[in-house]
Amino acid sequence: MAAIGVFDSGVGGISVLREIRALLPHEDLYYLADSRHAPYGPKPESYIVERSVACCEFLLAHEVKAIVVACNTATAAAVKTLRARCTLPIIAMEPGIKPAVAASRNGIIGVLATSGTLSSARFSALLQQYSGAAHIITQPCPGLVEQIEQGELHSPRLQSLLQRYLAPLLEAGVDTIILGCTHYPLVRAQIQALAGPAVQLIDTGPAVARQVQRVLREHHLLAPGEANGVERFWTSGEPAQAHEVLRQLWGEVEVAPMVASPGNAG
Ligand code: DGL
């Protein structure tokens, strides 16, 4: 049975991989961290499309049966292109505006995401469709992804970045904050501690895992429920560095370098 392929600009998609693993214990999961090219957030859209296509081609060369774009920024920039190029199911992320509007009591909602996501046409369309009467405050978070990529999950620098980005949202009185980048749930506890217990955090990772299950079921692609699935990890960056970070985020795993196969743009 083929595996499910999952990619992100780096280790952020691990927050989605955790949800997929919890829901689908029998599936093999292949994870590609495009760490050499992280962060995607501040890069031009054309660059993110090019990288997303390369990541998909790499996973296709490993004969995956479906691809999860575990990255809000790559979804916003590239999901249309990926769906036009690939025939297999592609499941993607987007910031949870709809669930946040449903969950908020005072209608004041903050969105933490990358500048790429927040400036995308896809995000504007999402706001238009679902924000209704809610007051939505967007906050880009430069530097945060870089800290997480370095495995600095508890550093003073991470703490001060979080404080800086949460301050305007808390001053505006948000009762709900959307984690609109897959890296951010990896520091969810730190965000919750700064925001306080009255603020609810919205992460679409669990909904995306359920969508993966639904789509695989529709295509009759679910793995038969016997053996436990395995995970394999690749990075376009330094395997030793990825190994170090993944040890904190997932456990002791082997990380292979992303080497493009001939004729495959990697
Ligand atoms: N984890 C990604 C996202 O969900 C991208 C972060 C980045 O590379 O800037 O948006």
Side-chain angles (χ1 to χ4, degrees):
M1 279 299 275
I4 301 170
V6 181
F7 78 91
D8 176 48
S9 62
V11 295
I14 293 295
S15 67
V16 183
L17 198 73
R18 285 175 180 167
E19 303 294 344
I20 299 173
R21 173 48 79 226
L23 194 63
L24 299 171
H26 306 298
E27 298 292 339
D28 289 345
L29 305 176
Y30 288 179
Y31 187 88
L32 171 61
D34 194 17
S35 321
R36 184 175 300 283
H37 305 94
Y40 283 177
K43 308 257 168 65
E45 196 170 281
S46 56
Y47 182 89
I48 301 168
V49 172
E50 192 186 304
R51 287 312 310 157
S52 300
V53 167
C55 289
C56 275
E57 285 182 350
F58 180 83
L59 292 169
L60 287 171
H62 288 81
E63 296 179 344
V64 297
K65 60 184 174 185
I67 290 178
V68 181
V69 184
C71 177
N72 292 267
T73 313
T75 299
V79 74
K80 271 195 192 150
T81 307
L82 299 178
R83 288 198 168 123
R85 290 175 66 118
C86 299
T87 52
L88 84 183
I90 294 189
I91 298 99
M93 301 294 302
E94 64 187 12
I97 304 287
K98 193 179 172 191
V101 169
S104 174
R105 294 170 304 273
N106 70 5
I108 311 175
I109 297 168
V111 187
L112 299 175
T114 69
S115 48
T117 296
L118 296 176
S119 63
S120 68
R122 211 177 153 87
F123 183 71
S124 302
L126 198 63
L127 278 185
Q128 208 152 29
Q129 196 176 354
Y130 294 118
S131 60
H135 177 41
I136 311 265
I137 305 156
T138 59
Q139 177 63 56
C141 307
L144 203 51
V145 163
E146 289 89 326
Q147 286 295 301
I148 297 168
E149 283 297 306
Q150 283 162 28
E152 300 286 344
L153 306 181
H154 303 278
S155 67
R157 167 97 180 120
L158 180 102
Q159 198 69 10
S160 79
L161 285 173
L162 287 178
Q163 252 158 3
R164 187 190 319 158
Y165 298 141
L166 286 170
L169 306 184
L170 298 174
E171 273 159 32
V174 298
D175 75 349
T176 305
I177 295 177
I178 298 169
L179 306 180
C181 166
T182 55
H183 280 75
Y184 306 162
L186 300 174
V187 290
R188 183 186 181 118
Q190 294 84 317
I191 295 173
Q192 190 77 68
L194 289 167
V199 173
Q200 38 185 351
L201 303 181
I202 304 285
D203 163 23
T204 49
V208 167
R210 290 194 295 275
Q211 178 69 359
V212 171
Q213 185 181 42
R214 238 184 333 262
V215 169
L216 290 182
R217 187 178 291 130
E218 272 168 26
H219 288 78
H220 308 287
L221 287 172
L222 279 173
E226 288 155 22
N228 279 344
V230 298
E231 300 92 33
R232 290 178 68 185
F233 296 88
W234 288 267
T235 179
S236 61
E238 277 302 318
Q241 159 74 12
H243 176 261
E244 196 44 45
V245 184
L246 286 172
R247 199 155 56 88
Q248 290 190 58
L249 297 174
W250 189 270
E252 197 56 60
V253 292
E254 278 179 32
V255 186
M258 175 195 188
V259 181
S261 52
N264 168 12

